[in-house]
Amino acid sequence: MIRKDIRALAAYHVPDSTGMLKLDAMENPFTLPDDLREKWASILSQVEINRYPDADMVNLRGLIAEQEGLQADQVLLGNGSDEIIQMLLMACDAGVCVTPTPTFVMYEMISRWLKRSVAPVPLNDDFSLDADKFLEVCSRENAAIAFLACPNNPTGNLWSEETIRHIAKDFKGLVVIDEAYAPFSARTHTSLIAPNVLVLRTFSKLGWAGLRLGYLLGDATVIADLNKVRMPYNINSLTQASAQFFLQHSEVFENQAQIICEQRTRLQQALSKHPNIEVFPSQANFILIRVHDADAVFEGLKQRNILIKNMHGQGGLLSHCVRITVGSKDENDALLAALEEILI
Ligand SMILES: Cc1ncc(COP(=O)(O)O)c(C=O)c1O
């Protein structure tokens, strides 16, 4: 009835976070300002939910394109960027998917669902990526598609511009530059867009995780082809109306991202002072740290009602690593105080 390899898979696990301080999922800690919330509620109350959503979303795509200096036909929208990863893996040529490892787990998970093999290319010990090694694997495997998370999750670092350029130029399959953490990063890569090079973004980390909206930027012909495997009406009316409203107030979210970046620096500095913590550089809204006993730190924080992500189970370069989302000042204070107690 159900494919054997699917039955053997573990489902994507989301831990229960009821009553916890949530520093596990790279969400924006700030709620909407009251005046914006009121206007938003009034806009939502006008949405005709008895009708199907706008299927082409020309206005919303136009707003996003304008922000990026592109045309509306260069934008594809997805129910979260996860859905776009799925569309890419469904539509691209048969063949291997190449990813650095460790990286965002959904590239491999969705490839498996679609019976596509994955060739992982290990990162160096300092989490840097060797472009020649990556390209060698692409060529050896005759690969069809490669994902580069820039900055990378869960390591948080941003590979050098030279590395990304080299891979984008020399790999002839689809190159997907996943910029989920662009709002917190020093560099983006839209200038590299080419018929085989696409840039993937999401609004999840900027503060709209609950809306589920991601977008892909690319060559208009490729976007038109990918659009053929998009579920009709994949972006619901409430998300469309919300996104159009929020994009007209983007400065609110940009300011929040700025505060998160300041908090990231503060958290990095405070964590670095601790002799039992190794802190890795981050260009994202989370920080990866290595401790002596990741399970004990994870459990100790959990007992204090703080939820982070324990990466130790993945082994290898992530041994004894935990990933901590940057929170508000108060949340970060609570985290630091709890770590102080656990790590004495
Ligand atoms: C690198 C990367 N890409 C994509 C996503 C998926 O984001 P969403 O589906 O919420 O848009 C994530 C989420 O953590 C991520 O880390």
Side-chain angles (χ1 to χ4, degrees):
M1 276 174 352
I2 301 291
R3 257 166 48 195
K4 199 171 158 208
D5 58 316
I6 298 282
R7 278 189 278 135
L9 290 177
Y12 187 86
H13 173 65
V14 179
D16 181 17
S17 57
T18 317
M20 309 273 283
L21 197 168
K22 233 178 146 297
L23 300 179
D24 64 324
M26 287 79 90
E27 291 147 329
N28 172 338
F30 303 111
T31 52
L32 282 179
D34 285 346
D35 56 334
L36 210 61
R37 186 183 288 274
E38 273 166 36
K39 284 187 204 145
W40 174 48
S42 122
I43 285 168
L44 289 188
S45 72
Q46 304 300 313
V47 173
E48 295 190 345
I49 48 137
N50 55 318
R51 301 288 174 202
Y52 279 106
D54 173 356
D56 289 333
M57 303 171 277
V58 181
N59 292 343
L60 179 53
R61 289 192 293 123
L63 276 176
I64 293 171
E66 200 181 303
Q67 238 184 24
E68 303 296 338
L70 298 170
Q71 301 300 315
D73 61 4
Q74 293 185 275
V75 180
L76 178 81
L77 298 182
N79 192 332
S81 47
D82 282 347
E83 193 193 32
I84 300 176
I85 296 169
Q86 188 179 29
M87 289 186 228
L88 286 158
L89 286 164
M90 281 195 296
C92 97
D93 281 337
V96 170
C97 168
V98 181
T99 69
T101 185
T103 192
F104 182 47
V105 291
M106 293 311 288
Y107 310 139
E108 181 175 347
M109 270 183 84
I110 301 174
S111 293
R112 282 176 188 270
W113 301 345
L114 298 170
K115 295 194 159 197
R116 187 184 287 277
S117 321
V118 177
V121 181
L123 295 177
N124 299 321
D125 286 353
D126 62 356
F127 300 142
S128 60
L129 174 62
D130 182 334
D132 290 328
K133 194 161 89 181
F134 193 87
L135 286 164
E136 254 169 55
V137 174
C138 291
S139 131
R140 185 190 73 210
E141 301 288 339
N142 199 12
I145 184 165
F147 286 92
L148 297 171
C150 303
N152 189 37
N153 172 17
T155 56
N157 61 322
L158 179 62
W159 298 307
S160 77
E161 193 164 0
E162 177 50 32
T163 303
I164 307 304
R165 272 185 191 282
H166 186 18
I167 296 171
K169 188 168 121 313
D170 288 0
F171 176 51
K172 299 302 172 211
L174 272 192
V175 180
V176 184
I177 303 178
D178 182 347
E179 298 189 339
Y181 301 96
F184 317 98
S185 161
R187 197 179 77 228
T188 61
H189 303 85
T190 36
S191 64
L192 298 182
I193 288 174
N196 70 321
V197 182
L198 301 141
V199 170
L200 181 61
R201 299 263 180 83
T202 177
F203 288 111
S204 296
K205 319 298 172 184
L206 191 64
W208 322 352
L211 287 184
R212 305 300 295 130
L213 186 63
Y215 59 98
L216 185 72
L217 305 170
D219 181 270
T221 316
V222 180
I223 295 290
D225 283 334
L226 289 166
N227 198 40
K228 296 170 194 167
V229 297
R230 184 175 62 79
M231 281 289 172
Y233 314 117
N234 63 330
I235 310 299
N236 72 70
S237 310
L238 298 176
T239 296
Q240 289 192 36
S242 306
Q244 291 190 58
F245 172 66
F246 292 150
L247 281 170
Q248 283 152 14
H249 299 275
S250 51
E251 73 289 347
V252 172
F253 303 97
E254 280 154 18
N255 289 341
Q256 292 177 347
Q258 179 58 35
I259 297 171
I260 292 168
C261 289
E262 286 159 18
Q263 283 299 316
R264 176 181 68 199
T265 308
R266 177 183 158 248
L267 206 50
Q268 278 171 322
Q269 285 168 353
L271 292 168
S272 304
K273 284 192 189 128
H274 211 290
N276 298 331
I277 302 180
E278 184 181 0
V279 183
F280 296 102
S282 170
Q283 294 262 325
N285 63 340
F286 61 86
I287 300 171
L288 188 78
I289 62 171
R290 188 175 285 132
V291 289
H292 289 319
D293 185 346
D295 291 342
V297 167
F298 176 78
E299 285 303 327
L301 288 172
K302 201 170 159 194
Q303 277 161 20
R304 290 163 179 80
N305 279 328
I306 301 177
L307 189 61
I308 59 164
K309 179 86 175 171
N310 187 357
M311 309 304 308
H312 180 58
Q314 289 194 32
L317 288 179
L318 295 176
S319 291
H320 288 297
C321 287
V322 295
R323 188 190 67 198
I324 302 172
T325 304
V326 178
S328 65
K329 181 177 182 305
D330 288 352
E331 290 174 338
N332 298 333
D333 286 345
L335 170 86
L336 290 169
L339 280 175
E340 203 57 52
E341 283 175 21
I342 296 165
L343 288 168
I344 36 169

